[in-house]
Amino acid sequence: VPLVEMRDVSKYYGNIRALEGVSLEVHAGEITCVLGDNGAGKSTLIKIIAGLHRHDAGDFRIEGRPAKLANPRDALDRGIATVYQDLAVVPLMPVWRNFFLGSEPTKGRGPLRRLDVELMRRTTYSELLRMGIDLRDVDQPIGTLSGGERQCVAIARAVYFGAKVLVLDEPTAALGVKQSGVVLKYVAAARDAGLGVVLITHNPHHAYLVGDRFILLKRGVMAGSHPKPEITLDD
Ligand code: ADP
Ligand code: ADP
């Protein structure tokens, strides 16, 4: 059973067609790429998967059951983590605090105990390292990290907190060649950790580097899928 399955999904804003007859599958340990130019319907697709919008027609299932997401909390509860382009980070907060922001260990306890802090620091360091980033100073404000590193922190966070599906909204859009490579390797690491990844991008090259499945959207409809050329990240 796919982690996420859409069959003939449509979404209209009034009489504006945002999506019509769109189908996709997301499987554990695979990357499904959604390609398309501006206005293709990529954001609308994300909003449906993330529980921000309801689809008007078609079938949307999570692990075989109808999704019925009323809000983003529902999506999280079903194991879907979304990393948006403008990451919801607090720039002046230390990296480790951003990593644990909103998570249970810090909730409703008043001031953090020193033990908790030490544990969270170490966890942040080791989780980032496990996925290939050796960030010496987890106390630095997250705003001092590059855009690519911030994407990686957000991805590592989703993996650590047990997401099954990771939805990435144009994670390389604002990045140069080198940073993009770092982020794509990180995306591949999330896939190798067993997550099902949805990679939204307008960059076909990035999609082909890491993708397993592809859909191409044009003005809201499926415009086919591309074969995967033989390229590796190290080329
Ligand atoms: P993309 O993310 O690929 O640029 P969108 O999903 O944002 O595409 O947009 C798909 C289409 O739906 C576009 O024609 C866009 O103008 C329209 N659209 C998106 N959001 C809204 C909205 N909230 N109200 C009306 N039209 C919208
Ligand atoms: P919803 O009404 O489904 O909550 P949004 O909160 O995304 O949708 O948008 C609110 C309003 O802003 C929409 O009804 C639409 O008029 C306008 N809007 C937002 N994004 C777009 C877009 N990409 N193209 C056209 N109109 C948009």
Side-chain angles (χ1 to χ4, degrees):
V1 185
L3 289 171
V4 173
E5 185 173 18
M6 286 188 175
R7 287 278 164 260
D8 280 332
V9 163
S10 299
K11 167 76 186 172
Y12 293 84
Y13 298 104
N15 51 21
I16 297 171
R17 176 185 79 189
L19 292 175
E20 194 171 85
V22 171
S23 301
L24 65 76
E25 289 184 15
V26 181
H27 292 260
E30 285 189 7
I31 298 176
T32 297
C33 297
V34 180
L35 285 149
D37 293 328
N38 285 338
K42 303 186 300 299
S43 305
T44 300
L45 193 66
I46 289 180
K47 285 176 180 170
I48 293 171
I49 298 178
L52 283 159
H53 280 331
R54 294 268 224 148
H55 58 297
D56 297 318
D59 196 33
F60 169 27
R61 291 172 182 265
I62 299 172
E63 295 184 284
R65 289 186 295 132
K68 291 190 185 147
L69 306 177
N71 53 55
R73 186 73 239 173
D74 286 348
L76 266 180
D77 289 346
R78 300 283 291 275
I80 296 179
T82 305
V83 177
Y84 293 99
Q85 213 177 322
D86 52 347
L87 298 166
V89 296
V90 185
L92 291 176
M93 250 188 205
V95 173
W96 68 266
R97 281 211 78 152
N98 272 282
F99 194 92
F100 281 94
L101 204 61
S103 64
E104 301 314 324
T106 62
K107 249 188 203 153
R109 283 235 217 133
L112 293 171
R113 288 184 293 130
R114 256 180 57 199
L115 252 176
D116 293 335
V117 171
E118 200 39 45
L119 186 65
M120 287 189 273
R121 276 197 181 123
R122 280 205 214 151
T123 303
T124 301
Y125 175 75
S126 60
E127 286 303 303
L128 290 173
L129 186 63
R130 198 163 64 84
M131 293 185 59
I133 286 197
D134 187 4
L135 188 70
R136 288 292 144 95
D137 181 13
V138 296
D139 285 319
Q140 65 185 301
I142 197 161
T144 62
L145 299 185
S146 68
E149 287 171 327
R150 288 202 296 273
Q151 285 284 343
C152 293
V153 171
I155 293 167
R157 191 173 181 276
V159 173
Y160 176 71
F161 285 104
K164 293 180 183 169
V165 177
L166 177 64
V167 183
L168 301 168
D169 177 17
E170 300 271 5
T172 58
L175 308 179
V177 175
K178 202 171 161 206
Q179 288 273 324
S180 292
V182 171
V183 170
L184 290 173
K185 280 193 175 171
Y186 228 69
V187 174
R191 183 229 7 237
D192 295 342
L195 280 77
V197 179
V198 182
L199 176 63
I200 312 281
T201 178
H202 63 259
N203 187 322
H205 185 63
H206 291 172
Y208 293 147
L209 279 171
V210 295
D212 299 293
R213 294 167 188 265
F214 307 88
I215 68 164
L216 176 64
L217 296 178
K218 249 180 201 159
R219 294 202 198 105
V221 299
M222 306 267 292
S225 54
H226 285 226
K228 183 178 174 164
E230 296 299 316
I231 310 173
T232 72
L233 269 179
D234 299 316
D235 283 348

